[in-house]
Amino acid sequence: MGNNESTASTVSTESLASVTLEVADLGAARRFHAAFGVDRHVRVRESGAPSVGFRGFALALTVSGPATVDAFLAAAVGAGATVLKPAAKSLWGYGGSVQAPDGTAWKVATSAKKDTGPATREIDDVVLLLGVENVKATREFYVGRGLTVARSFGGKYTEFAPGGPGAVKLALYKRRALAKEVGVAVDGSGSHRIVLGGTAGSFADPDGFAWEAALPAIAAGSSARS
């Protein structure tokens, strides 16, 4: 797959500034995010919009080593998450996935095959993976909106340049492949239960993911509130 990789070095004029998960229970979602260790990276707001099955997205954490993967997954399960894929070694490293009580799928992974130190609570990257029907078409849609491609593997995967250090990265995956990656059935309908914040105004992408004007990304050390 690496032979098909293309990259861009230009600075993005637009980017993902915030990720807001729509949940039925604000208090429960905040407690889960704090226990899991992701409360600085996502916002929450209340919504009762109907949503059935796969919501078409997942959030992924990249960490330093297998022990840290295990620690994050254990924290999630301890806070009420359900295991979708137990942590295991793969061609690309080590990782697993869980489903939060609010329904969001989270993947935790590392490219390291062995630990070089004890487990930590540090997150190297947070990536929002959107499952789309046509990666190439949606990539061009976002490029037209001012986002800059950082990495692209043809019609399989695209990652956009982040808004700054510590910001959540935005990436596109084929919907069916993403569902398989996190361990859920691909079928789903209703609300995505997620809103993306940016500086390009309010719009919906080709797969119905909603964007709205947002403040800059949550600063490290602050609380992710609605």
Side-chain angles (χ1 to χ4, degrees), residues 19 21 33 38-44 59 106 218 224-225:
V19 174
L21 299 175
H33 291 156
V38 299
D39 51 324
R40 294 186 296 112
H41 301 283
V42 294
R43 305 173 190 269
V44 290
L59 283 152
W106 290 86
I218 303 164
R225 300 294 182 184

Side-chain angles (χ1 to χ4, degrees), residues 15 162-168:
S15 60
V168 177

Side-chain angles (χ1 to χ4, degrees), residues 17-43:
S18 65
V19 174
T20 300
L21 299 175
E22 295 186 330
V23 301
D25 188 328
L26 285 176
R30 287 170 176 160
R31 288 190 294 274
F32 173 79
H33 291 156
F36 189 21
V38 299
D39 51 324
R40 294 186 296 112
H41 301 283
V42 294
R43 305 173 190 269

Side-chain angles (χ1 to χ4, degrees), residues 70-201:
D70 290 339
F72 270 98
L73 292 175
V77 171
T82 302
V83 175
L84 295 173
K85 275 191 173 182
K89 291 182 180 179
S90 70
L91 180 64
W92 307 109
Y94 180 85
S97 59
V98 296
Q99 186 170 45
D102 62 59
T104 302
W106 290 86
K107 179 182 177 181
V108 187
T110 178
S111 60
K113 299 293 181 72
K114 296 181 179 180
D115 288 307
T116 57
T120 73
R121 293 290 285 170
E122 296 297 318
I123 298 171
D124 295 335
D125 288 301
V126 182
V127 183
L128 171 60
L129 298 166
L130 298 186
V132 303
E133 292 302 323
N134 189 319
V135 171
K136 289 183 178 180
T138 304
R139 177 175 66 232
E140 292 310 307
F141 172 86
Y142 279 121
V143 168
R145 287 280 176 173
L147 277 71
T148 297
V149 174
R151 294 195 301 158
S152 181
F153 297 96
K156 296 181 179 180
Y157 179 83
T158 292
E159 185 177 295
F160 296 98
V168 177
K169 295 180 179 179
L170 175 65
L172 308 177
Y173 226 103
K174 288 191 70 67
R175 179 184 170 92
R176 185 170 297 278
L178 179 59
K180 182 178 180 180
E181 180 73 16
V182 296
V184 297
V186 70
D187 296 330
S189 62
S191 173
H192 290 298
R193 289 288 192 96
I194 188 171
V195 176
L196 289 65
T199 56

